[in-house]
Every structure is written in C-alpha cells, then in structure tokens.
Amino acid sequence: MKVIIVGGVAGGATAAARIRRLDEQAEITVYERSGHVSYANCGLPYYVGGVIEDPEELTLQTPESFYSRFRIDMKVLHEVVSIDPGQKTVRVRDLKNGEEFDDGYDKLLLSPGARPVTAGIPGSDLDRVFTLRTVEDTFRIDEYIKDNRPKSAVIAGGGFIGLELAENLRELGMEVSIAQRPAQLMNPFDMDMASFLHAEVRRHGIDLVLGNNLAEVRENGGQMEVVLEDGTVLKTDMAVLAIGVAPDTALAESAGLELGIKGSIVVNDRMETSVKDIYAVGDAVQVKNFVTDEYALVSLAGPANKQGRIAADNICGRSSVYTGAQGSSVIKVFDLTAAATGLSEAAARRVGLDVDKVILSPMSHAGYYPGGSLMMLKVVFEKETYRLIGAQAVGRAGVDKRIDVIATALRAGMKATELKDLDLAYAPPYSSAKDPVNMAGFMIENISEGLLKQWYLEDVKRLPRDGSVTLLDARTPEEFAFAHIDGFRNIPVDELRDRLEEIPEGKPVYVLCESGVRSYIACRILTGHGYDAYNFAGGFRLYDTVVNERCLLETAEACGRNWRI
C-alpha cells in the first residue's frame, strides 16, 4: 500500500507514525511545504520570548529521525500543487529548485492546516508585518527583534497566538498593544470571565484597543502605523497579524472535494472525504461539535492529533470514528491560567440552548495550607435537563485540573448535578475536601431542588431602586465602605438574624457578598423566615472586575464611585 500525506505537522505526522505502527510494509511519503515537520505551533510564541531557547526544541521529530525510526520518507520544502483523483496521483513541486513531478498513491491523506487571515488588509506584505504560524515565521520574528531591537509592537488579534505573543514580547521589554474588532479577548470565554484576563493584561502594561477593526498598515516617514477603522493610529516598530486562521483548502477545492463551512473540507466520522481513498484531518476539516452535534471548525492540536490517528486506523483497514470536538483549551496569561471546555454561555444561547450557570470563586487548595489562591469557575448547564454544556475557569493555580475534570464529565454524558458525586483526590496542598468541581455540583443540585435561586450580573442595572425590592449586601461594613453597588444596604450575614425587622416583608430580597458564599447563607436564613431571597452569582468580586473592565472600554467617569484599578 502506498500512502501519501500532504502536511507533516500535527495530524499528518501523527497519522504517518500510526500507519507505520499498524503496517510495517506500507510505503509512506509525507510532503511538507515548510522546512520542518512535527513542530509544536503552540510553542512558537515562547521561542520568540526566549522561554524556549533551543530552536531544535520546537520540532518533535526531524525528517531524519522519522526515517530512522519509522522508515517514513519526509520530504520538506515540497508542495503538493494538484491532485488527480481519477489517476490517483499528486503533482509535487520541489521548492528548492522549482522542479515538478507526479507521485501515485493508493491512499491520500490531506493535513494542510490553516492559513493566517491577512487577505484584504493593505500593508500586510510590508517587511515589518509578520504572521506566526510556522517555524519559519518564528525565526523571522526572532531575527528581526535581535537585529533591530524594536521598542514597540502592535498585535492585531487577541486569540491564543496573539495573546501568548503579546505576553512574550512584553516580557522582552517591548511596549505592546493588542487591537481587534471583538470587544473581548479569547472568544472561547464569556465576557465576564474574559474581564479577568483583560485586567491581568493591563496590569502588565499591555494596551488593549478593543472593538475596533484593523483598516491598514502603512509606513510613514520610516515609522510604521497601524490604522484602525475609526481613524485611530497606533505607531509601532513592528506589527503581527494574528486576526485568525482559515482552512487552507485550495488544493482540496481544485481536486473537486466537497467543501463545508468557511471552505473547510467535508469529512465523515472516519475522516473520509467525498472522494474515495482521500482522507483529511486537522484545521482544514469541519467536524461535529460534541455538545451541539452541529458542524464546527476547531483549530486545536489535540483534535488534529486524534483525527490523524483515526484516519490512519481506517487507512489500514481498522474501524475508528471521531466522536466530535468540545474545544477544551488552556492558556497562560502572565500570572493567570485560563481554561475552557464545551460551549460558553454566549455560544450556547447563540445556538438556541436554554441555559443557566453557576459562578464561584473557590481556593485552589485548602485555605489553611499556605500558598492557595482564588480562582473563578463558571459552569454552564441546560435548564430542565441539567445537561452539562461547558465550563470556564481563570486563576493562578489549579485551573487546568478543574476544567479537565469537567471536560471528562461532559464527554461521559454526566449531568451537571452529578459533579457533586465525583470522587476527586484531596490533600491540603492540592485541593479541598470539597473540591471546586464538587462545589459547583452542590450549587447546581441546590438549584434543581429549589434551595438556591440566583440573580445575575446582567440584572444589576434592571433591578428597581424604588423600594419594591430589597437590595442587601451581606459583607462586612469595611468591605461595604470600600466599594459597593449603589442602592444596596449593608447587613452583615452574622448580624442578619438579629436585624430581620429592618427587611420589609413581602418583597423579594436580592443578596450579594464578595464571592457568593455568605450571601447564600443569608438567603437560606431569609428563606427560613419566609422571605423570597435570591443570591448573586459570582459575587461582588465578579461584578467589580467586569464593571471596571467595561469602564476601561468607555470612560472613567462612567464608573462613578466604584471606579478603581
């Protein structure tokens, strides 16, 4: 069997190695148009920042090591320019000398990846404008920085690559700005959770210019200028376009393969395309979203590697299927870690799901053990059914662990209420006896049993201040004096039973505290005395961060008394 693989990075390299492990006799050739194979895209920003010092660490394998171990012919700097499905041949161009030749296959696997979105942006071809997708891109940026010592950079786009690169350039001492059309960084997160990332990024001196699309990049008297649609001009020494990626499917389109959303390659759950004996994997294919069962694009290394393995199994006559992607991801943002799985609340509502959420801010490990830190955890679930939809977390420690647990529960089809039943490892340096994931489950169970009724951040402005409801802050007088929401009265939770006469009967009571714990206790006290009480999801800690972030997008004056950085 002769197998040709187009693309030798995540999915392609994984498939090649798997095919060899399954079939020692197969003839396997991989054509990769860049000069490197099996490299770690996710590590590229950290080489620019000097965190990864050895360029050889960026590549997990070389053509030579692949051949030595697997007898796979890895041909770098070779581009497949066309496919003839009828003749089962590919046309290959040797990029070193420009010569072209044909090669035949029994099975063909396409793993072309995605390309940076730069089309239509005037000035994107200037010498000091970069993208970051390949090892060559990384070396180009690194060489420019070492040779020219730029003092400033503008990064267009605040996704994974843009945010990681911004951090690394800032750590090099550069003045860094992130500009993008969306009003928040990191699309997998809801705005409330992204606000913590905004605060962290600004705390480290990065300027955020959000809600403003890139119009052009230009040279002006030796100075580079990034021009935004509203006319804002950002002067800089270099610019990186990290606006996003699009499936690189021109080759598939010219071969007559069926294309799907955003020009991606249509595949079935065996990673087979619409043309017999041609498979496709990775960033170029559309896959099923595990939560919604709708088609989606998921440009992440984990799914690409899994798909490569599945395609290899089927090429070799086995039977493997891809059950869908849920978009589990994690990112380091200076001192914070942010992770997510499944759908955000906003994404769930966009596809028509009727969802609810719990937001809590537990410690990363037992509070009495030194070194613990707070995290913010948000779990989204479907009303009525309590089906897990997704989760997000931000904090300084323990974040990835909690999201991985919830990702596993989601994959296993567990209900959100069943998070309380998970038997998770506990020791004071690592967790609490009631792990944050368990705590989320307890809260959701309380909702299902009518013990917890919530009100939310989006309700703050809608709550009447005319006396028809009672607005209660259950924190200490010191916390209340430092900052509070207008219209709320302060009765600390430990004084509540003795001051119930101050709370009018027959009116709903909306309660908050710093994290949601004391206010929940206050709600139970009030409920026990006949009041209709609602607890604020996320607590004042969430409100304060989000409101201050929104004010940063507007004006300081708009924040009034609660403005502070």
Side-chain angles (χ1 to χ4, degrees):
M1 178 176 64
K2 172 69 178 295
V3 181
I4 290 179
I5 299 174
V6 180
V9 190
T14 294
R18 175 70 170 172
I19 292 169
R20 174 56 73 227
R21 291 195 296 271
L22 296 176
D23 187 345
E24 183 65 18
Q25 309 306 319
E27 181 183 351
I28 308 167
T29 302
V30 179
Y31 291 112
E32 168 57 43
R33 63 187 168 195
S34 77
H36 300 81
V37 296
S38 191
Y39 57 83
N41 295 81
C42 304
L44 302 183
Y46 298 100
Y47 180 79
V48 173
V51 178
I52 299 173
E53 297 180 350
D54 187 348
E56 293 186 0
E57 293 295 327
L58 293 174
T59 53
L60 307 177
Q61 295 279 354
T62 65
E64 293 76 19
S65 67
F66 247 106
Y67 186 80
S68 175
R69 176 163 295 180
F70 297 111
R71 290 300 188 268
I72 292 171
D73 195 2
M74 286 275 191
K75 293 185 176 294
V76 297
L77 296 175
H78 281 70
E79 181 179 14
V80 174
V81 296
S82 65
I83 304 168
D84 186 337
Q87 297 299 316
K88 301 186 78 168
T89 61
V90 296
R91 185 75 173 171
V92 185
R93 179 179 298 133
D94 186 335
L95 298 179
K96 297 185 293 294
N97 56 31
E99 295 180 356
E100 294 188 359
F101 58 91
D102 293 326
D103 196 3
Y105 64 85
D106 296 308
K107 305 285 185 179
L108 175 64
L109 173 63
L110 303 180
S111 182
R115 50 182 172 76
V117 176
T118 60
I121 301 175
S124 60
D125 56 348
L126 293 173
D127 289 340
R128 289 187 285 172
V129 178
F130 304 88
T131 58
L132 184 55
R133 187 67 183 169
T134 66
V135 174
E136 286 83 358
D137 293 337
T138 309
F139 292 160
R140 182 173 168 238
I141 294 174
D142 183 60
E143 289 170 6
Y144 175 79
I145 292 173
K146 289 177 178 176
D147 292 345
N148 297 277
R149 304 294 178 186
K151 296 181 179 179
S152 60
V154 171
I155 298 174
F160 289 98
I161 293 295
L163 196 48
E164 290 169 345
L165 184 60
E167 175 183 342
N168 279 276
L169 294 182
R170 183 63 183 147
E171 297 286 15
L172 291 177
M174 297 173 63
E175 295 296 322
V176 179
S177 298
I178 297 177
Q180 65 171 25
R181 178 178 55 80
Q184 70 165 76
L185 303 174
M186 296 299 297
N187 185 58
F189 294 82
D190 287 312
M191 181 64 185
D192 49 9
M193 302 298 285
S195 295
F196 291 91
L197 303 182
H198 294 187
E200 180 74 357
V201 166
R202 284 198 170 99
R203 186 172 73 87
H204 284 82
I206 292 179
D207 184 30
L208 295 181
V209 187
L210 305 179
N212 207 338
N213 210 17
L214 178 65
E216 68 170 313
V217 186
R218 67 193 183 197
E219 297 273 6
N220 186 1
Q223 177 74 62
M224 176 169 285
E225 296 178 340
V226 175
V227 184
L228 307 181
E229 282 188 345
D230 70 349
T232 299
V233 177
L234 304 175
K235 297 183 182 298
T236 185
D237 294 328
M238 62 180 291
V240 181
L241 303 183
I243 299 169
V245 296
D248 192 353
T249 55
L251 181 64
E253 182 178 15
S254 66
L257 274 62
E258 182 183 353
L259 301 183
I261 55 176
K262 297 183 179 179
S264 58
I265 302 172
V266 171
V267 293
N268 61 17
D269 59 5
R270 292 167 53 86
M271 310 314 297
E272 296 169 320
T273 71
S274 59
V275 175
K276 183 177 172 56
D277 293 327
I278 301 181
Y279 299 73
V281 300
D283 295 355
V285 306
Q286 70 172 27
V287 295
K288 287 289 186 73
N289 182 292
F290 182 78
V291 179
T292 66
D293 204 35
E294 295 181 350
Y295 288 114
L297 297 178
V298 181
S299 297
L300 294 170
N305 278 278
K306 294 181 183 71
Q307 293 160 20
R309 178 184 174 91
I310 289 165
D313 283 354
N314 292 308
I315 285 171
C316 293
R318 301 170 68 87
S319 181
S320 277
V321 297
Y322 186 63
T323 56
Q326 61 198 67
S328 300
S329 61
V330 64
I331 185 172
K332 174 186 177 297
V333 183
F334 292 102
D335 298 327
L336 290 183
T337 298
T341 190
L343 298 186
S344 66
E345 179 188 1
R349 295 191 188 281
R350 282 197 298 270
V351 297
L353 293 176
D354 187 16
V355 295
D356 199 354
K357 75 251 186 176
V358 293
I359 305 173
L360 58 158
S361 52
M363 293 287 287
S364 58
H365 60 240
Y368 59 83
Y369 188 88
S373 59
L374 288 168
M375 70 176 71
M376 190 66 66
L377 174 62
K378 179 176 184 177
V379 179
V380 181
F381 57 94
E382 193 171 32
K383 292 181 181 178
E384 304 297 333
T385 68
Y386 291 90
R387 177 170 69 107
L388 263 176
I389 298 298
Q392 304 155 56
V394 180
R396 283 173 165 73
V399 165
D400 53 338
K401 170 183 175 179
R402 273 68 191 205
I403 291 300
D404 280 344
V405 168
I406 296 174
T408 304
L410 194 159
R411 178 64 61 160
M414 294 177 61
K415 290 186 176 182
T417 50
E418 293 178 300
L419 295 177
K420 73 183 191 311
D421 300 321
L422 292 174
D423 194 349
L424 304 175
Y426 159 64
Y430 304 106
S431 183
S432 300
K434 291 183 285 189
D435 188 86
V437 175
N438 295 139
M439 290 301 300
F442 293 144
M443 292 170 67
I444 297 167
E445 180 186 51
N446 284 341
I447 292 173
S448 72
E449 296 180 349
L451 298 175
L452 171 61
K453 294 189 288 187
Q454 298 188 108
W455 64 284
Y456 308 100
L457 188 66
E458 53 267 30
D459 298 324
V460 172
K461 292 183 179 179
R462 295 198 291 261
L463 286 177
R465 265 70 170 180
D466 59 2
S468 60
V469 301
T470 299
L471 307 179
L472 179 63
D473 190 320
R475 297 176 298 158
T476 66
E478 293 78 15
E479 290 173 299
F480 185 81
F482 184 71
H484 61 269
I485 302 176
D486 287 337
F488 278 71
R489 62 190 303 178
N490 179 220
I491 302 178
V493 63
D494 293 335
E495 301 176 13
L496 183 57
R497 289 184 179 89
D498 297 327
R499 298 174 60 179
L500 286 173
E501 72 279 359
E502 300 178 32
I503 303 175
E505 296 180 354
K507 298 179 181 180
V509 185
Y510 292 85
V511 192
L512 66 78
C513 70
E514 192 68 18
S515 67
V517 175
R518 285 173 289 173
S519 52
Y520 171 66
I521 295 170
C523 284
R524 294 310 305 155
I525 293 171
L526 291 166
T527 300
H529 287 272
Y531 291 90
D532 185 20
Y534 297 80
N535 189 34
F536 181 52
F540 190 82
R541 183 177 295 121
L542 177 72
Y543 168 84
D544 194 35
T545 300
V546 175
V547 167
N548 281 344
E549 174 53 32
R550 286 176 179 165
C551 292
L552 287 169
L553 294 176
E554 298 167 5
T555 64
E557 290 75 19
C559 299
R561 63 189 300 170
N562 288 318
W563 169 257
R564 71 178 192 272
I565 299 179

